[in-house]
Amino acid sequence: ESLAVLPVLNSLVVIFRSLGLSFQEVGIAMMGKEMEGYKKLKQFALFGGISVVLLLSLLAFTPLSFIWFSGVSGLSVDLANFAILPLMIMALMPGLTFWISFQRSLLVHARKTQPITTATAIEVIGICLVMFVAIKFFAAVGAVAAALAFIIGRLGANFYLVFPFNKIVRNSTVNN
């Protein structure tokens, strides 16, 4: 039953993630030959990421979440109540999406794409491991385990990309 809320939950979170998802293409296009767009893109990624996390948190941590799940999405009262905790956990995902899109855009711009592949593998493996551990050893409910897995997997990918990202920034003219 808990997994029945995942499509509704993911649909809502994708609304807030969509700006971050499209930001990667913008970042690649607007970076500039000498990375002259880096600072503006960094500011926008930070502002955009914080904004979508705050907006989704406003929904997740207030009675608006129940109104969304039961009134708009049509979930039963029990399922609507059950969907609130996974939504609270997923509130960070839109910000993490902005962050990883910014990281990826810089790496693609610098033609250093191998770390993106590795980060994706880290994310997928992290999701699988967290799901397994959460359900097997902590008896977590499916939707809560999935929400935790998505966040922890994405954090793993984000943190892995910090090193190659910072190396490119250090070696560029951005800091000069």
Side-chain angles (χ1 to χ4, degrees):
E1 289 179 344
S2 74
L3 295 177
V5 303
L6 279 181
V8 176
L9 177 67
N10 282 332
S11 297
L12 176 60
V13 174
V14 161
I15 292 169
F16 291 87
R17 288 182 60 210
S18 61
L19 286 171
L21 291 169
S22 62
F23 183 67
Q24 181 175 330
E25 298 304 317
V26 172
I28 294 166
M30 303 299 290
M31 193 67 68
K33 286 185 180 181
E34 301 298 321
M35 290 182 43
E36 55 271 12
Y38 172 82
K39 289 180 183 177
K40 290 278 188 198
L41 289 167
K42 180 180 173 182
Q43 290 172 346
F44 185 82
L46 184 62
F47 174 77
I50 290 170
S51 297
V52 290
V53 167
L54 289 176
L55 287 170
L56 186 55
S57 294
L58 176 67
L59 183 64
F61 292 93
T62 67
L64 292 172
S65 59
F66 183 80
I67 293 168
W68 177 268
F69 287 128
S70 67
V72 177
S73 298
L75 293 178
S76 69
V77 171
D78 289 340
L79 287 178
N81 282 323
F82 185 77
I84 294 171
L85 178 57
L87 179 62
M88 290 175 175
I89 295 167
M90 293 290 288
L92 290 176
M93 187 56 93
L96 296 176
T97 301
F98 257 102
W99 184 17
I100 205 162
S101 290
F102 183 52
Q103 290 172 313
R104 289 173 177 169
S105 67
L106 181 77
L107 290 164
V108 168
H109 179 269
R111 292 176 169 71
K112 304 288 184 193
T113 57
Q114 178 57 44
I116 297 170
T117 304
T118 305
T120 302
I122 289 169
E123 185 169 358
V124 170
I125 292 167
I127 289 169
C128 294
L129 284 174
V130 171
M131 283 288 292
F132 176 76
V133 169
I135 292 170
K136 180 83 170 162
F137 298 108
F138 294 101
V141 190
V144 173
L148 284 170
F150 289 144
I151 293 295
I152 292 170
R154 176 55 56 89
L155 280 169
N158 280 122
F159 284 121
Y160 174 79
L161 289 177
V162 164
F163 303 106
F165 178 92
N166 285 343
K167 184 177 178 183
I168 292 167
V169 171
R170 274 192 313 272
N171 294 334
S172 73
T173 59
V174 172
N175 292 324
N176 297 334

